[in-house]
Amino acid sequence: MKIIDYIKILKNKNLNELLKILDNFSILKIKGKDINKSVLISVLLHGDESCGLYTLKEFLKSKIIPEVNVYFLVGNVEAANLKNIFSNRYVPKGENFNRIWTKTPKTTNENKALEVFEYFKDKNLIGVLDIHSFNSKYLTQHCFINKLDPKTKALSKTICENIFHIGVSENMLIQLFSEIAPSILIECGYSNSKESCNFALNSFCIFLRNIEKNNSLEDIQIYQNEVNIKLKENADFNELDFNKKLKDMNLNKILKDILFFKGNINSLKIQKDNRLINPQKYFYEKDGSIFLKKNRIMTLFILNEFILKESGFYIYDC
C-alpha cells in the first residue's frame, strides 16, 4: 500500500505517466475544506478500465478544493502497465482485484486489500464510489449497490437510472466498504472509450455534489433478487451455441421462453444468496436447447468464454 500525500508530483501527468509513478493499491489524498469527513474513489481495480484513472487525472488538473477529503485508491497498476497498456484485466494467472475484499484473507493481495480497508476505518468515510467500465459495446451505464438503506439508494439514483442490488457475496470492494459507508459501483461504458471516461468524470462530480444532501427516494426502481450465472470451468464453450441476440438484451426485459443456447443445461453454474442452485430452477431444456423460464432483466452478458467463466452475467426480477 503506497500512500501519496504530495499530489503536486502527479499534476499535469498523462495516463501513461501516472502508471509509471503509481503502484498497486496506491492511495492519494486530496484535502478538503472539511478535513473531518472523507470519501473514497476506487479506480483501476481492473487493468483494462482506464476511465477511473482519467477521472483522477482530470480532478488533479482542475485544482478544485473539495468540500471533504477525497481519497483515490488506484488498484491494479501492474496489470494496466502490461504490454498494450489498459488491455489486461489482471496479470496472467493473477487475481481479480474486485474479488479480494474479505476479512479472512488467504492470498497476498487479499491481505493487502484488508490492509487498505483497515486504513480507512478511522477516516470517517461518508461515501465510496468504485469506478468501472465493461467489455461490451452493447451495454449502457448502470450501477450496483450492496445495501438498500435510504442514503445508498438515493445517492445511486443521482448517478444512474439502472440500479442493481447485489445478492451474491463475491468479495467485491463495495461489499466490504458498505459496512462503514454508502458504497456504489458504477459501470461507465465501453472500456477505454471517450464515453466511459466522460461518464466516470461526470459521475464523480455528481457524487461529490450529492454526498451530503438528503436526496429524494421518489421514483427509484432497484432491480433485486440477483442470480449469478456462469459457465462451469470444464464446460466446452465451443460446443455451446449461444443466441447471438442476447448481447443486445442487456438492461432490457428478456421474456420467458427465449432461447439462451443450444447445449447441455448442466454447463451452467448458478448462484443465488450464496447458494448453488439447480439450473432447472431458471431454465428448461427442450430438444437440446435451453430456454428461460420467467421474464427477467439481464446485465453484463458478454459473449466471451473468459468472462462467462470468470464472472458470468446476472439476471434479476423485473
Side-chain angles (χ1 to χ4, degrees):
M1 186 172 69
K2 180 177 182 179
I3 301 174
I4 302 175
D5 276 318
Y6 189 61
I7 301 299
K8 287 184 179 180
I9 63 172
L10 301 178
K11 287 183 178 179
N12 301 316
K13 301 294 185 185
N14 62 35
L15 296 186
N16 294 21
E17 291 169 333
L18 285 174
L19 288 180
K20 302 305 178 187
I21 298 171
L22 301 169
D23 295 328
N24 286 359
F25 301 106
S26 289
I27 295 172
L28 292 74
K29 178 183 179 182
I30 298 94
K31 288 184 179 179
K33 297 174 185 175
D34 184 347
I35 60 172
N36 296 311
K37 295 178 182 178
S38 305
V39 296
L40 170 62
I41 313 300
S42 169
V43 306
L44 207 69
L45 287 189
H46 297 136
D48 58 348
E49 300 175 5
S50 62
C51 58
L53 196 64
Y54 171 83
T55 298
L56 167 61
K57 176 181 75 73
E58 292 298 304
F59 184 56
L60 292 177
K61 188 169 68 174
S62 74
K63 300 181 181 179
I64 292 173
I65 300 175
E67 294 298 318
V68 300
N69 298 326
V70 176
Y71 288 88
F72 278 88
L73 167 67
V74 186
N76 204 336
V77 175
E78 184 182 2
N81 260 320
L82 292 175
K83 188 177 180 180
N84 300 324
I85 64 167
F86 300 123
S87 61
N88 292 275
R89 188 172 173 85
Y90 41 75
V91 299
K93 298 183 180 179
E95 293 173 275
N96 182 338
F97 271 35
N98 202 25
R99 297 294 186 275
I100 59 174
W101 302 90
T102 173
K103 290 184 176 178
T104 54
K106 297 178 181 178
T107 69
T108 299
N109 284 325
E110 287 178 346
N111 275 289
K112 289 180 179 178
L114 184 58
E115 183 183 353
V116 169
F117 178 69
E118 294 294 332
Y119 172 80
F120 279 106
K121 284 175 73 173
D122 66 352
K123 299 296 182 287
N124 195 19
L125 287 182
I126 59 173
V128 177
L129 185 67
D130 185 20
I131 299 177
H132 289 261
S133 56
F134 41 78
N135 295 310
S136 172
K137 294 180 179 180
Y138 303 95
L139 264 167
T140 190
Q141 293 86 359
H142 55 288
C143 65
F144 293 91
I145 58 177
N146 187 56
K147 289 191 175 181
L148 294 171
D149 60 285
K151 178 66 176 179
T152 302
K153 290 194 296 183
L155 186 59
S156 64
K157 182 63 165 56
T158 66
I159 299 172
C160 283
E161 288 295 321
N162 294 302
I163 307 167
F164 295 87
H165 177 239
I166 299 170
V168 178
S169 178
E170 298 186 90
N171 295 335
M172 298 166 68
L173 181 142
I174 67 165
Q175 291 182 306
L176 186 56
F177 274 85
S178 64
E179 294 184 7
I180 55 178
S183 301
I184 301 168
L185 183 158
I186 56 168
E187 296 279 2
C188 297
Y190 185 57
S191 289
N192 305 320
S193 66
K194 183 178 180 180
E195 174 195 37
S196 67
C197 289
N198 289 339
F199 189 85
L201 180 59
N202 186 53
S203 297
F204 166 71
C205 294
I206 292 171
F207 178 80
L208 290 188
R209 284 200 304 269
N210 287 279
I211 190 64
E212 294 194 275
K213 292 182 180 178
N214 293 317
N215 299 293
S216 172
L217 283 168
E218 292 183 9
D219 302 320
I220 295 181
Q221 179 178 15
I222 298 175
Y223 298 107
Q224 300 183 51
N225 292 322
E226 176 187 83
V227 179
N228 179 223
I229 302 171
K230 300 178 183 179
L231 282 186
K232 291 180 178 177
E233 283 296 326
N234 61 357
D236 189 338
F237 179 75
N238 295 318
E239 288 188 356
L240 302 176
D241 183 12
F242 276 91
N243 180 354
K244 302 300 188 295
K245 294 181 180 180
L246 289 174
K247 69 181 187 299
D248 300 317
M249 298 181 185
N250 283 301
L251 304 182
N252 290 302
K253 182 185 289 187
I254 49 177
L255 302 179
K256 68 176 184 176
D257 301 323
I258 193 169
L259 171 68
F260 256 74
F261 65 89
K262 295 179 181 179
N264 186 348
I265 194 172
N266 292 316
S267 299
L268 298 176
K269 177 184 177 181
I270 298 182
Q271 283 186 285
K272 185 178 188 298
D273 300 327
N274 300 322
R275 294 181 293 111
L276 287 175
I277 304 294
N278 189 323
Q280 293 182 355
K281 179 167 182 172
Y282 297 97
F283 298 90
Y284 67 90
E285 189 170 4
K286 182 178 180 181
D287 299 328
S289 295
I290 310 304
F291 300 88
L292 188 65
K293 278 187 173 182
K294 182 181 175 182
N295 294 348
R296 302 280 179 179
I297 188 166
M298 178 175 68
T299 189
L300 294 179
F301 179 87
I302 300 172
L303 194 50
N304 174 285
E305 179 178 6
F306 173 78
I307 296 295
L308 285 171
K309 289 184 175 181
E310 186 229 17
S311 52
F313 61 98
Y314 302 86
I315 59 173
Y316 299 80
D317 288 351
C318 60

